[in-house]
């Protein structure tokens, strides 16, 4: 009897401990820049061919109501990596919108990123692609928990005298600019290795580095953050993709990104990691409609990048992981804010408990298709709260029109209410029909503003003002 109890205890300990030590999943986040809700085959695009992404959506989960925390680059990235609205970290600005090459700051070191959370559990971590959370060496990814970095430190259109010209050409879908017009550095760890970065091969080279990182770390858990610098303008593709789609440069660019996704999946399968890896594919904000044929499509959604309409913040999102993720279409709410808590839950890592967090743990939705714990979403832009969603309702108190990008925010004379289930395009303001819903939602917004005010570190207020 004593022996059999001992044997049971041994077996129990063996399976429990080996289960914990063998199983922390790898995480790959593929984060596009300015890719619209309507730009993938699986999200309804009739022209752009994205067979690899369509396959991932088929085998994994396609999230139709997944949001980024801000409709522009810098704050959206800060939110994904920290699980906090950027107003809390100071990574949002009413004047300059994003960080620029003359900015002297970046994501505050006190912020805790997904890379830092997973590093505590022994993960290898790499950031490949666009960073945009501070370009000075002390703000690059290695200061935020990443072992390795390869990419451009800010947007691919910065340091350019050609921006205005590019904008004039943007109604020509085949217009191809010159990479030397955009004096953007390519950085490895903290060293500048190429300037200007040859953007024609950038998607290809990011992919090679990402595959290399997977190969080198196949024996231990890893977190790969692959933030493509495209399809943000200026658009570039490698020779193999130039003109391939016969549907314009934007389509060529997306098809090269889809090729890149295929290469990553191939590497995971080759190294027998596909059963224990979760791949997330999404975008940092909606399409940059100002750039006409060089900007993407938000599909049925209203407006695009720089606005808090759905087209600015609802992004095409896929979770794939054949050993972990239960396939299906998820119509519940989710956000890039939730990735930190979700990855922490799946890996046994610790979500920070010394600060306000804005994420929810989506792991049970992924593994078991349970209901999403996220029931609401706050639409922030340029350091201001514009709107709020709960259930099918969305209320707006402030707005920006896409053509007004860079112009002041419009404070609405009276709140607008949209019922997104029957009106995905935010066409019909039904505030007059549901006054009680509106006032309840406005109260919730007030509570949220108070909560943010209480938690915002005062010393960051100058960052919020101008991003200098
Ligand atoms: Mg962007």
């Amino acid at each position: 009897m004593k022996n059999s109890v001992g044997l049971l205890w041994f077996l129990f300990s063996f399976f429990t401990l080996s289960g914990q030590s063998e199983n922390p999943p790898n995480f790959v986040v593929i984060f596009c820049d300015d890719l619209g809700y309507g730009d993938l085959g699986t999200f309804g695009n009739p022209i752009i061919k994205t067979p690899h992404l369509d396959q991932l959506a088929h085998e994994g989960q396609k999230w139709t109501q997944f949001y980024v925390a801000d409709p522009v680059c810098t704050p959206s990235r800060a939110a994904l990596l920290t699980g906090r609205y950027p107003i809390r970290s100071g990574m949002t600005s009413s004047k300059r919108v994003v960080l620029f090459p003359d900015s002297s700051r970046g994501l505050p070191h006190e912020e805790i990123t997904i890379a830092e959370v997973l590093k505590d559990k022994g993960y290898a971590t790499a950031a490949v692609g666009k960073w945009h959370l501070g370009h000075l060496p002390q703000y690059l990814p290695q200061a935020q928990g990443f072992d390795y970095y390869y990419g451009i430190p800010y947007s691919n259109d910065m340091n350019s005298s050609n921006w205005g010209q590019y904008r004039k050409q943007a109604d020509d879908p085949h217009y191809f600019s010159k990479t030397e017009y955009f004096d953007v550095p390519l950085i490895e760890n903290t060293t500048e290795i190429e300037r200007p970065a040859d953007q024609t091969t950038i998607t290809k080279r990011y992919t090679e580095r990402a595959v290399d990182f997977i190969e080198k770390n196949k024996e231990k858990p890893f977190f790969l953050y692959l933030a493509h610098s495209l399809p943000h303008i200026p658009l570039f593709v490698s020779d193999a993709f130039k003109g391939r789609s016969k549907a314009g440069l934007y389509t060529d660019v997306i098809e090269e990104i889809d090729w890149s996704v295929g290469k990553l999946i191939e590497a995971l399968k080759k190294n027998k990691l596909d059963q224990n890896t979760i791949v997330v594919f999404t975008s940092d904000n909606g399409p940059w409609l100002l750039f006409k044929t060089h900007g993407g499509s938000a599909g049925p959604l209203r407006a695009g990048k720089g606005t808090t309409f759905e087209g600015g913040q609802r992004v095409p999102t896929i979770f794939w992981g054949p050993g972990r993720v239960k396939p299906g279409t998820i119509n519940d709410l989710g956000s890039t804010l939730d990735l930190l808590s979700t990855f922490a839950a799946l890996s046994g890592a610790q979500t920070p408990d010394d600060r306000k967090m804005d994420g929810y743990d989506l792991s049970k939705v992924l593994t078991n298709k349970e209901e999403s714990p996220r029931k609401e979403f706050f639409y922030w832009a340029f350091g201001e709260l514009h709107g709020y969603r709960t259930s099918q309702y969305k209320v707006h108190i402030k707005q920006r029109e896409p053509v007004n990008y860079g112009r002041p925010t419009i404070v609405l004379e009276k709140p607008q209410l949209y019922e997104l289930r029957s009106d995905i395009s935010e066409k019909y303001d039904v505030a007059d029909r549901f006054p009680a819903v509106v006032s309840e939602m406005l109260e919730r917004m007030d509570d949220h503003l108070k909560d943010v005010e209480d938690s915002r570190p005062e010393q960051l207020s100058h960052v919020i003002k101008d991003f200098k």
Side-chain angles (χ1 to χ4, degrees):
M1 182 66 189
K2 200 178 169 190
N3 276 353
S4 61
V5 170
L7 180 66
L8 280 174
W9 181 84
F10 170 78
L11 287 173
F12 174 77
S13 316
F14 177 80
F15 283 114
T16 312
L17 291 174
S18 64
Q20 280 174 2
S21 59
E22 276 175 22
N23 276 334
N26 309 302
F27 300 106
V28 177
V29 173
I30 306 171
F31 199 39
C32 290
D33 196 349
D34 296 3
L35 177 81
Y37 190 78
D39 283 335
L40 306 181
T42 184
F43 278 81
N45 193 293
I47 303 291
I48 303 175
K49 290 189 179 67
T50 52
H52 296 106
L53 285 160
D54 299 354
Q55 185 70 19
L56 296 197
H58 178 67
E59 293 171 4
Q61 290 184 359
K62 173 169 123 176
W63 284 62
T64 62
Q65 313 209 39
F66 198 85
Y67 292 94
V68 285
D70 198 284
V72 289
C73 292
T74 296
S76 174
R77 281 149 213 272
L80 182 148
L81 288 173
T82 62
R84 282 148 58 81
Y85 282 109
I87 191 75
R88 298 198 199 270
S89 60
M91 284 286 99
T92 176
S93 159
S94 57
K95 284 189 187 158
R96 300 189 87 199
V97 184
V98 295
L99 289 167
F100 278 84
D102 63 350
S103 296
S104 61
R105 296 176 59 113
L107 183 64
H109 295 123
E110 310 83 61
E111 290 297 316
I112 298 173
T113 66
I114 296 177
E116 287 168 314
V117 164
L118 294 175
K119 222 172 154 45
D120 283 349
K121 291 294 285 183
Y123 276 65
T125 55
V128 175
K130 171 169 155 180
W131 178 239
H132 217 178
L133 292 170
H135 70 287
L136 297 174
Q138 64 271 30
Y139 290 111
L140 286 171
Q142 286 181 318
Q144 292 290 356
F146 289 99
D147 301 328
Y148 176 74
Y149 174 55
Y150 177 89
I152 64 171
Y154 37 69
S155 294
N156 65 335
D157 65 336
M158 288 183 170
N159 282 330
S160 172
S161 53
N162 186 248
W163 204 88
Q165 185 57 28
Y166 195 99
R167 194 176 154 182
K168 279 188 206 142
Q169 299 282 354
D171 54 357
D172 173 1
H174 303 286
Y175 171 67
F176 196 77
S177 187
K178 287 201 166 85
T179 198
E180 53 267 34
Y181 289 163
F182 303 88
D183 189 24
V184 176
L186 181 66
I187 291 175
E188 184 160 36
N189 294 326
T190 52
T191 309
E192 188 176 302
I193 55 170
E194 186 178 302
R195 188 165 192 154
D198 178 358
Q199 296 198 43
T200 60
T201 54
I202 207 129
T203 300
K204 196 164 165 259
R205 289 191 285 167
Y206 289 162
T207 308
E208 286 161 3
R209 297 292 164 142
V211 167
D212 190 48
F213 173 75
I214 291 170
E215 300 267 0
K216 279 190 184 137
N217 292 286
K218 60 187 174 193
E219 305 293 347
K220 56 181 200 174
F222 59 79
F223 168 50
L224 168 64
Y225 172 65
L226 170 56
H228 283 292
S229 37
L230 292 162
H232 191 291
I233 65 96
L235 301 179
F236 290 104
V237 280
S238 66
D239 288 344
F241 286 85
K242 197 173 174 187
R244 198 182 82 152
S245 71
K246 299 188 172 54
L249 191 51
Y250 190 86
T251 303
D252 292 342
V253 167
I254 306 302
E255 293 191 7
E256 186 161 27
I257 289 172
D258 183 70
W259 163 86
S260 167
V261 171
K263 284 287 164 201
L264 256 58
I265 300 300
E266 192 182 294
L268 292 173
K269 286 184 174 166
K270 193 182 118 203
N271 291 291
K272 300 192 169 37
L273 298 168
D274 51 312
Q275 293 298 312
N276 197 34
T277 301
I278 291 179
V279 177
V280 186
F281 180 93
T282 189
S283 176
D284 72 331
N285 50 249
W288 204 353
L289 302 173
L290 192 63
F291 283 88
K292 301 173 187 169
T293 69
H294 288 244
S297 160
L301 307 179
R302 180 166 171 183
K305 173 178 177 172
T307 79
T308 46
F309 290 109
E310 294 296 287
Q313 290 190 251
R314 200 194 287 200
V315 284
T317 303
I318 299 165
F319 285 81
W320 178 86
R324 301 253 182 182
V325 176
K326 213 172 190 177
T329 299
I330 306 296
N331 296 318
D332 285 355
L333 302 189
S335 168
T336 48
L337 287 165
D338 304 331
L339 295 182
L340 186 147
S341 299
T342 305
F343 293 176
L346 289 164
S347 63
Q350 191 64 45
T351 299
D353 57 6
D354 62 342
R355 61 199 67 205
K356 298 263 185 178
M357 299 295 291
D358 296 302
Y360 293 89
D361 167 13
L362 305 179
S363 62
K364 297 263 169 44
V365 193
L366 298 182
T367 58
N368 206 30
K369 284 173 78 176
E370 287 179 19
E371 199 177 303
S372 172
R374 175 173 285 283
K375 302 294 175 201
E376 61 179 3
F377 180 77
F378 294 95
Y379 297 78
W380 280 90
F382 318 107
E384 295 183 299
L385 183 59
H386 282 206
Y388 169 60
R389 174 168 183 190
T390 184
S391 187
Q392 74 270 41
Y393 292 113
K394 174 176 177 182
V395 69
H396 293 251
I397 56 167
K398 294 179 182 177
Q399 285 169 349
R400 286 198 188 196
E401 287 296 333
V403 288
N404 280 346
Y405 185 66
R407 292 191 197 163
T409 300
I410 302 156
V411 180
L412 297 174
E413 277 175 21
K414 63 190 210 45
Q416 294 176 3
L417 183 76
Y418 296 94
E419 206 278 55
L420 292 175
R421 203 177 292 158
S422 58
D423 178 23
I424 193 176
S425 307
E426 293 169 279
K427 279 183 181 163
Y428 311 110
D429 175 12
V430 292
D432 289 343
R433 279 192 185 276
F434 302 101
V437 171
V438 172
S439 60
E440 224 174 90
M441 291 178 79
L442 294 179
E443 259 176 52
R444 182 72 189 110
M445 287 174 87
D446 273 346
D447 291 346
H448 178 68
L449 278 173
K450 277 188 207 112
D451 177 68
V452 165
E453 232 8 84
D454 287 348
S455 73
R456 186 158 60 84
E458 275 315 305
Q459 69 270 25
L460 295 173
S461 58
H462 67 284
V463 183
I464 292 165
K465 245 185 262 160
D466 58 11
F467 262 146
K468 279 283 187 183

